[in-house]
Amino acid sequence: ARALELFQGAARRAPRDPVAHLWLLDHHLRADNPAQALAHLDVLLRTQPELIARFEPLLVALAGAPPAHEALARVLAEAPPWRARFLATAARKAQDTDAVAPLFDAIRLQPDGLQPAELSPWLDRLVREGRVGQAYLLWASNLPPDRQQSLGNVFNGGFEHAPDPVGFDWRFGRVPGARIERLGGAGVTGKAALHLAFGHRRVPFAHVRQMLALAPGRYQLELRARADALRSERGLVWQVSCVAGGPPLGQTEPLRGQAPWHSLQMDFEVPQDCPGQWLVLRVPARIEAEQQIGGQAWFDDLKIRRLP
């Protein structure tokens, strides 16, 4: 008791001194007082950020300890500089996914919620473990209210808002020889559609994709497309495949040449062992020579509906 009194006094008089805070951190952890322990841990990590590597095992353990979640959420709500690294570490290294999930829910319910960059490692962890439905619900609940209106089997299928490459939104990659953008114009529904321009070179293109969370069953993909001098031996196709790998579940007819706005459809079936899927726009080249592509393509109004 006397040591506790002296170290508390030392921490008040020298708030940046690590010795007192280390002793108090250890004392409160042993006494099962997570809120008091985290207050001293926060001081240590704010004043000496390099200590975070030393405390990584402790942080991972706290993330998996439900009695510490409320106190952790309160500390993290103050946006300490170690917050992003802690959340990424907890998402990657925690042993028990079920034990850590309530912590991310508690942070999400704080006024500022979870930022997309903070949520992304946790969603990736859930998807790797096959918990795609759980990842989808967490991602959807973290969307702004106006974006939640775009929820469906395909999210933002009309490309009306800029994609946020986290979770189940569109992911636009970068590859030499191709330009990917959202653009308005004649025949476009709403404000924008997906527009691609290719520079007449070999492009291993598979750089527009979205993760799906379809339950087992039969589905139909429907979309609108337009081609403008699209020169490609194999054309552009939309494919649906399982996140875990394997051959495509389905593929649209290739788009190439010159074609006004028209509808494309594709039926496919999601098997039982396919908890998550990728919807990908690609050049289905079998050899490098078939990657040659030039011209422009447009896509809009992507929808997936379940078939009886």
Side-chain angles (χ1 to χ4, degrees):
R2 179 59 177 157
L4 175 60
E5 180 183 346
L6 290 171
F7 276 111
Q8 286 173 334
R12 287 194 299 270
R13 287 167 173 77
R16 297 177 65 88
D17 177 29
V19 175
H21 290 291
L22 283 166
W23 191 95
L24 291 165
L25 169 62
D26 180 69
H27 171 82
H28 289 300
L29 287 173
R30 292 175 185 275
D32 198 21
N33 296 323
Q36 293 92 325
L38 282 165
H40 295 287
L41 181 60
D42 184 34
V43 171
L44 286 164
L45 295 181
R46 286 177 184 266
T47 56
Q48 301 193 47
E50 69 277 5
L51 289 176
I52 192 167
R54 172 180 175 179
F55 284 115
E56 186 175 278
L58 172 60
L59 291 168
V60 172
L62 290 170
H69 287 173
E70 184 179 349
L72 261 174
R74 286 199 303 268
V75 172
L76 294 172
E78 300 297 323
W82 50 274
R83 168 177 164 138
R85 180 165 173 177
F86 162 72
L87 291 174
T89 300
R92 292 195 308 269
K93 298 188 176 182
Q95 295 295 316
D96 188 347
T97 307
D98 290 328
V100 179
L103 172 63
F104 280 87
D105 285 335
I107 299 169
R108 179 179 61 83
L109 296 174
Q110 294 288 338
D112 291 333
L114 280 163
Q115 299 304 309
E118 298 171 339
L119 185 62
S120 183
W122 181 238
L123 295 177
D124 291 343
R125 169 72 180 270
L126 293 174
V127 169
R128 285 198 306 272
E129 296 191 359
R131 304 184 180 210
V132 179
Q134 184 180 347
Y136 181 85
L137 291 174
L138 177 59
W139 168 79
S141 65
N142 205 58
L143 288 173
D146 60 319
R147 298 280 178 98
Q148 291 182 352
Q149 298 176 6
S150 300
L151 287 172
N153 287 333
V154 177
F155 179 69
N156 188 25
F159 303 95
E160 291 300 291
H161 64 76
D164 192 353
V166 172
F168 298 80
D169 203 342
W170 291 110
R171 306 184 189 196
F172 293 172
R174 292 185 178 183
V175 60
R179 185 173 76 249
I180 305 168
E181 60 187 346
R182 297 164 50 251
L183 204 62
V188 170
T189 302
K191 298 181 294 184
L194 175 65
H195 174 247
L196 302 106
F198 298 96
H200 302 282
R201 56 185 290 185
R202 292 181 181 179
V203 183
F205 187 79
H207 291 71
V208 174
R209 61 175 53 211
Q210 181 177 133
M211 188 179 294
L212 309 175
L214 302 175
R218 296 176 60 246
Y219 294 88
Q220 182 179 81
L221 168 68
E222 184 177 6
L223 61 119
R224 296 172 59 241
R226 171 189 159 198
D228 186 3
L230 186 62
R231 291 182 288 278
S232 168
E233 181 178 347
R234 301 285 292 173
L236 283 170
V237 302
W238 288 93
Q239 289 181 349
V240 175
S241 58
C242 296
V243 168
L249 304 177
Q251 175 177 299
T252 61
E253 290 295 321
L255 179 70
R256 54 180 173 245
Q258 191 75 29
W261 282 107
H262 63 287
S263 295
L264 288 175
Q265 291 182 342
M266 172 189 72
D267 292 354
F268 63 97
E269 184 169 355
V270 176
Q272 291 287 339
D273 58 347
C274 183
Q277 307 83 35
W278 283 112
L279 172 62
V280 183
L281 177 63
R282 67 186 311 136
V283 175
R286 298 162 298 186
I287 57 175
E288 286 191 4
E290 294 178 343
Q291 296 175 352
Q292 186 81 18
I293 184 170
Q296 302 180 63
W298 300 73
F299 299 96
D300 204 358
D301 298 330
L302 279 83
K303 303 180 183 68
I304 290 178
R305 66 183 183 92
R306 186 157 189 167
L307 297 174

